[in-house]
Amino acid sequence: GTFVNAFVNAGFGNDKLMVEAEEGNSWVYKNKDHGDYLAGMMSAAASLGLGLLWDTDVGLSHIDRYTYSPEEWIKAGAFFATGLLNAGVRTEADAALALLAEHVENKSVPLKIAAIMGLGVAYAGSHREDLLNLLLPAVADDGVSMEIAALSALALGFVFVGSGNGEITSTILQTLMERDDAALDEKWGRFMALGLALLYVGLQDASDATLETLKAIQHPISRQAQILVEVCSFVATGNVLRVQRLLHLCGEHLDALKEKEQAESAEGKKDETKDEKKEDKKPDDTFQSFAVLGIAMIAMGEDIGAEMSMRQFNHLMHYGDPIIRKSVPLALGLISASNPQLPVLDTLSKYSHDHDLAVALNAIFAMGLVGAGTNNARLAQMLRQLAGYYYKEPDCLFMVRIAQGLVHMGKGTIGINPFFSDRNIMSRPAIAGLLATIMAFTDAKAFVLDKYHWMLYFLVTAMYPRFLITLDENLESNPVTVRVRSGFQTHQTPVRLGTTERAELATEEFIPYAHVLEGFRYITEEPWVGEGGYDADGFTIKGDMEHEY
């Protein structure tokens, strides 16, 4: 309930469960959501930040009352909500930093994590040096748990996404080298690797030195980090050689290799190898999961590459190991976020009935990503059927509800596609948010289905209204008629544009300042249209045109 309400009412600031609930009667206190009851309270309080998205004035006063709660999980949720509220908003007041900075050093773990991630989301892509000094010490500190170190690295990855910052890179690399194997084996290692990778989003060859350094680390996490850094560097480039390399990694059947080694080794050593296999199998194949996601990352943003990769995913689904099969739906969700094309929907619908529940769970979430904010009727119908199909599986049912919330995100006005300006420019913070959310699903049992369901809110950095709103020079709304797609129907702005749709002005009275019409756009009156259709020389425009012909 928490998440559906949060996503559906994102940015509206009028939902009845949270924002407009009376004191003491709020959903936070009644929340018996998935997983841990206390962590459920945190997600419920954090959902305020989504309901009041981008409304920094009214929002803070609503959230403020929860920051004094005696229950620390509710307090933590309120801190995270403060970060969500300010996501992508730059104000002179700098409220998120003022309110959260002091709690980065808090003794309580939930409050500390909420403050760190709140800052990461609020200042995603801002490259602010003052946050560097605030968050970096937690990454380098051997005394803190791997969880706090990894999430601090992730928050820095959000803030400095695509900056290639040398100081953060060297600190994270140092930490990966110095931490003992037990710490690196923890489930949090992947988020530290992701924090490092996000620094190189879109920088291509600039990551070579980092990749060489990672090769020196004697631990499976080195391989995971190498893949993540490489795919982030080449995200949306369609680089065929990199895709080939990743497919090669996906093709390794680790179990078969192990068995071959066992057969070759002497009989006496066989038992030892078996014990080793039990120990190191789990972290060893995580890199394949990232390789599958990597194919989607590199191929996204360009239709032919995306179509070719769909075919590869089909093969991987047939012949891959369980870890690969579980990652394929996530890759499909990533490659067509907020872009519900029929082939993708049918494929995901098929995977959502898979006998392996981990595959089904990720497929259901991917359906939410693909249809995010589109109100797609066919998809909504599929999800209603799935809710009936999985009524005895609480995990899958929880996921169906979340997917339903995503499909109707912002009542159909907010999408999560990371490309804008007619899909030519990529938003780096949006890539960071999508990747971090999907990373939590590479081991859903340990994160989203445990007490870290608040990680779903990382999507906030990718959420953006899918409108065309035309403004005059005084920033006042100026409704004009536009044509969407190539149809003959015209609409008054504001209009909602789908991911693949384009708009053009249907009138010649105005000219736009930008060549692509989406988001907020200035338009100005055509200078030569004078009173009553005469131009400056006194010819009627119609007559003038006839004269030319």
Side-chain angles (χ1 to χ4, degrees), residues 95-216:
L97 188 59
L99 293 167
L100 300 179
E102 57 185 294
H103 297 287
V104 170
E105 297 296 324
N106 203 306
K107 294 277 182 285
S108 151
V109 173
L111 295 180
K112 191 169 185 167
I113 287 174
I116 289 170
M117 285 325 306
L119 285 169
V121 171
Y123 294 103
S126 66
H127 299 191
R128 283 183 49 164
E129 291 294 326
D130 45 353
L131 288 164
L132 179 73
N133 307 328
L134 197 62
L135 296 170
L136 203 55
V139 180
D141 186 355
D142 278 350
V144 301
S145 68
M146 191 63 183
E147 176 180 5
I148 288 171
L151 287 176
S152 300
L154 180 63
L156 283 166
F158 269 56
V159 177
F160 288 87
V161 62
S163 68
N165 187 299
E167 199 177 334
I168 304 173
T169 302
S170 57
T171 308
I172 295 178
L173 287 170
Q174 195 72 28
T175 307
L176 289 173
M177 285 174 182
E178 288 173 1
R179 287 263 174 168
D180 54 359
D181 283 3
L184 295 177
D185 283 341
E186 282 183 46
K187 61 184 180 183
W188 294 103
R190 69 193 71 200
F191 281 107
M192 187 167 274
L194 179 62
L196 175 64
L198 290 178
L199 300 173
Y200 290 100
V201 168
L203 296 188
Q204 302 203 16
D205 294 324
S207 59
D208 287 354
T210 307
L211 288 169
E212 288 304 316
T213 316
L214 281 168
K215 286 175 186 166

Side-chain angles (χ1 to χ4, degrees), residues 154-409:
L154 180 63
L156 283 166
F158 269 56
V159 177
F160 288 87
V161 62
S163 68
N165 187 299
E167 199 177 334
I168 304 173
T169 302
S170 57
T171 308
I172 295 178
L173 287 170
Q174 195 72 28
T175 307
L176 289 173
M177 285 174 182
E178 288 173 1
R179 287 263 174 168
D180 54 359
D181 283 3
L184 295 177
D185 283 341
E186 282 183 46
K187 61 184 180 183
W188 294 103
R190 69 193 71 200
F191 281 107
M192 187 167 274
L194 179 62
L196 175 64
L198 290 178
L199 300 173
Y200 290 100
V201 168
L203 296 188
Q204 302 203 16
D205 294 324
S207 59
D208 287 354
T210 307
L211 288 169
E212 288 304 316
T213 316
L214 281 168
K215 286 175 186 166
I217 298 170
Q218 298 298 313
H219 186 272
I221 199 169
S222 148
R223 206 166 184 192
Q224 298 168 26
Q226 282 175 48
I227 291 172
L228 284 173
V229 171
E230 188 173 346
V231 299
C232 281
S233 306
F234 288 89
V235 62
T237 55
N239 188 310
V240 183
L241 294 175
R242 311 277 160 176
V243 173
Q244 279 180 331
R245 201 179 302 174
L246 293 169
L247 280 169
H248 185 75
L249 290 171
C250 296
E252 289 180 19
H253 289 291
L254 297 175
D255 292 356
L257 285 171
K258 276 271 160 63
E259 281 164 22
K260 199 173 170 186
E261 282 170 23
Q262 281 177 5
E264 286 168 5
S265 67
E267 199 64 39
K269 282 188 185 170
K270 217 169 194 179
D271 302 334
E272 288 172 30
T273 324
K274 265 194 179 147
D275 293 341
E276 269 174 40
K277 180 182 170 184
K278 267 181 198 157
E279 270 174 39
D280 66 5
K281 172 168 184 318
K282 186 67 193 127
D284 224 348
D285 62 359
T286 315
F287 74 89
Q288 292 189 313
S289 178
F290 300 160
V292 176
L293 294 176
I295 295 170
M297 292 273 293
I298 291 173
M300 73 198 285
E302 168 269 333
D303 295 341
I304 295 169
E307 214 167 297
M308 283 160 63
S309 64
M310 293 272 296
R311 188 184 167 90
Q312 300 301 339
F313 291 143
N314 205 358
H315 292 316
L316 290 173
M317 202 67 187
H318 280 206
Y319 307 114
D321 291 340
I323 184 105
I324 288 176
R325 296 188 72 242
K326 160 173 115 174
S327 309
V328 166
L330 296 175
L332 288 170
L334 185 60
I335 209 162
S336 55
S338 283
N339 187 11
Q341 299 154 319
L342 278 180
V344 183
L345 289 186
D346 290 343
T347 311
L348 286 173
S349 178
K350 188 171 76 191
Y351 296 160
S352 65
H353 295 82
D354 200 274
H355 56 84
D356 179 356
L357 280 182
V359 175
L361 190 97
N362 286 353
I364 296 167
F365 176 64
M367 286 164 93
L369 286 181
V370 168
T374 59
N375 280 349
N376 188 293
R378 183 182 178 128
L379 192 50
Q381 178 58 29
M382 282 178 185
L383 290 168
R384 281 194 291 276
Q385 285 171 344
L386 281 169
Y389 184 77
Y390 283 120
Y391 73 103
K392 282 185 178 166
E393 291 288 342
D395 287 350
C396 291
L397 192 59
F398 172 61
M399 219 65 252
V400 172
R401 297 285 174 244
I402 286 171
Q404 284 174 317
L406 289 173
V407 169
H408 301 294
M409 183 186 279

